[in-house]
């Protein structure tokens, strides 16, 4: 059932939006789940993937392969991982594109922006409520004045 009239449920329009999305939106689409240890440590389920993260492939023919993310290819919605490559007929080695949905992040590359993002996404801070009781009382008091 459709709840929001402003959002289309048309397959054609959704595919167009997906494949013509700007880089900023592709970053969010290219998120990967965190490993169990990281999930417990940061109380966050998934993160947008970035270069220098360490990942483990857990789907497809390259599963159980670990490596560092060498490149995030937003245009093709794939990531390139160290040691996940194949030989071409002429002997050249080429990186294989892996979908971020098929990997688990095992080690995060933390910089100040990433730390702030983890702080915002932390589920322990959100306790299932949009507003605390104190905030509701304060807003009700200001509306009555």
């Amino acid at each position: 059932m459709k709840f929001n009239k402003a959002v289309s449920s048309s397959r054609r329009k959704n595919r167009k939006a997906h494949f013509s999305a700007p880089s900023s939106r592709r970053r969010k689409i290219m998120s990967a789940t965190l490993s169990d240890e990281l999930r417990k440590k940061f109380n966050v389920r998934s993160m947008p993937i970035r270069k220098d993260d360490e990942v483990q492939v857990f789907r497809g023919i390259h599963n159980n392969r670990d490596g560092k993310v060498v490149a995030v290819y937003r245009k093709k919605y794939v990531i390139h991982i160290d040691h996940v490559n194949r030989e071409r007929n002429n002997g050249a080695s080429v990186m294989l594109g892996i979908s971020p949905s098929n990997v688990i992040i095992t080690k995060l590359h933390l910089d100040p922006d990433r730390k702030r993002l983890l702080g915002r996404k932390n589920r322990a801070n959100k306790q299932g409520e949009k507003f605390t009781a104190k905030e509701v009382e304060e807003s009700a008091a200001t509306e009555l004045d």
Side-chain angles (χ1 to χ4, degrees):
M1 184 172 171
K2 188 169 166 183
F3 294 106
N4 190 346
K5 297 262 187 212
V7 178
S8 173
S9 59
S10 163
R11 180 173 190 263
R12 178 186 191 176
K13 290 179 184 176
N14 279 312
R15 283 179 57 83
K16 182 176 182 184
H18 179 77
F19 291 111
S20 62
S23 181
S24 57
R25 209 168 303 144
R26 286 177 187 238
R27 175 182 168 271
K28 186 142 187 179
I29 292 169
M30 293 179 70
S31 292
T33 55
L34 268 60
S35 66
D36 291 336
E37 303 88 52
L38 291 176
R39 209 179 276 193
K40 286 181 183 126
K41 182 177 178 184
F42 296 114
N43 285 323
V44 175
R45 189 176 181 85
S46 65
M47 287 283 291
I49 203 150
R50 71 161 280 183
K51 186 178 172 182
D52 296 330
D53 282 345
E54 289 185 19
V55 296
Q56 178 186 11
V57 182
F58 73 103
R59 288 276 186 276
I61 55 173
H62 299 288
N63 65 344
N64 296 329
R65 290 255 192 100
D66 301 13
K68 194 177 236 185
V69 176
V70 178
V72 179
Y73 201 159
R74 289 188 189 166
K75 187 173 185 180
K76 290 187 176 182
Y77 286 109
V78 295
I79 59 172
H80 291 195
I81 304 169
D82 210 16
H83 308 303
V84 179
N85 49 17
R86 65 181 283 266
E87 294 281 321
R88 290 179 63 182
N89 287 340
N90 62 2
S93 179
V94 291
M95 305 292 272
L96 290 174
I98 305 286
S99 173
S101 63
N102 295 339
V103 300
I104 295 175
I105 300 174
T106 54
K107 188 176 177 193
L108 287 169
H109 179 265
L110 288 174
D111 57 357
D113 291 329
R114 213 99 189 270
K115 287 178 183 172
R116 269 187 278 136
L117 177 62
L118 284 169
R120 287 195 312 268
K121 287 186 78 166
N122 190 339
R123 289 176 157 191
N125 297 344
K126 302 171 188 151
Q127 301 178 352
E129 300 176 12
K130 291 189 176 179
F131 300 103
T132 61
K134 185 178 178 184
E135 290 173 347
V136 172
E137 290 172 10
E138 288 174 0
S139 65
T142 55
E143 287 176 10
L144 293 175
D145 290 340

